[in-house]
Amino acid sequence: MHGPATTGWLLVALCAATGAYCLVRMRSEVEEQRRAAGGEALMGFGMAAMAVPAAVFTPPDWVWSAYAAVFGAAGLHALWAARASAHHLHHLVGAGAMVYMSLVMGAAPGHGHGGPGLPPLTGVLLLYFAGYVLATGARLVPAAATAGGTGATGWGDRPELARACRLSMAMAMVAMLLAM
């Protein structure tokens, strides 16, 4: 990733922590939550790997093709899962953005981290993820507490933490798209 190394390392930490929390969410008793958390963990760890500053590590040429293949497969899986839940369409857009960034990074001179990409596509992705950040952030605003809650829930079943996880990945995606 281009830009200051500090920014890159902060993105690595944010995305890796988000991916790790998504692994915890995979322990949920609800199958749909486990599936969504698996895709989000893959996205978090993939984004963390892509955000490593270029001055520290420039991966071999084949890595960008592998990223594109992995996230292409994740996109196909999200497309298939979207039949049951519209939330998976967000996963599809995220996987598509990762494929796009992988291809741009692989095509950069010297195969460094990033290149100009296609400005219209980058702009559309930026608008989508910025809108997602605003919408998800608004949903995190606490609502009036309900009387007689459902009792204790496990860490994998906390909807506000899942939203915060998705919000942090969307913000990281905006930062990575801006750095291209």
Side-chain angles (χ1 to χ4, degrees):
M1 198 177 111
H2 289 295
T6 304
T7 305
W9 286 120
L10 287 172
L11 279 173
V12 169
L14 174 69
C15 294
T18 301
Y21 175 68
C22 289
L23 288 179
V24 171
R25 286 182 39 228
M26 288 181 69
R27 295 177 45 200
S28 171
E29 294 180 11
V30 180
E31 182 178 349
E32 178 60 29
Q33 290 178 9
R34 284 194 308 267
R35 287 184 189 189
E40 291 164 2
L42 174 67
M43 185 71 67
F45 290 126
M47 289 173 67
M50 288 178 110
V52 173
V56 175
F57 177 69
T58 301
D61 295 346
W62 61 267
V63 169
W64 302 116
S65 298
Y67 279 169
V70 166
F71 286 104
L76 290 175
H77 182 267
L79 182 61
W80 182 257
R83 296 174 305 121
S85 171
H87 170 71
H88 290 284
L89 292 175
H90 172 69
H91 291 175
L92 176 63
V93 173
M98 292 294 285
V99 169
Y100 169 65
M101 287 191 298
S102 298
L103 294 174
V104 169
M105 289 179 176
H111 300 285
H113 283 0
L118 300 171
L121 183 54
T122 302
V124 167
L125 289 171
L126 277 169
L127 284 174
Y128 172 80
F129 284 106
Y132 188 85
V133 165
L134 293 173
T136 303
R139 284 191 299 244
L140 278 175
V141 174
T146 58
T150 59
T153 58
W155 282 101
D157 295 320
R158 308 261 320 255
E160 71 279 8
L161 291 178
R163 282 189 198 113
C165 171
R166 292 180 193 119
L167 175 65
S168 65
M169 283 195 292
M171 288 187 304
M173 187 67 79
V174 168
M176 291 174 74
L177 287 165
L178 285 172
M180 283 183 35

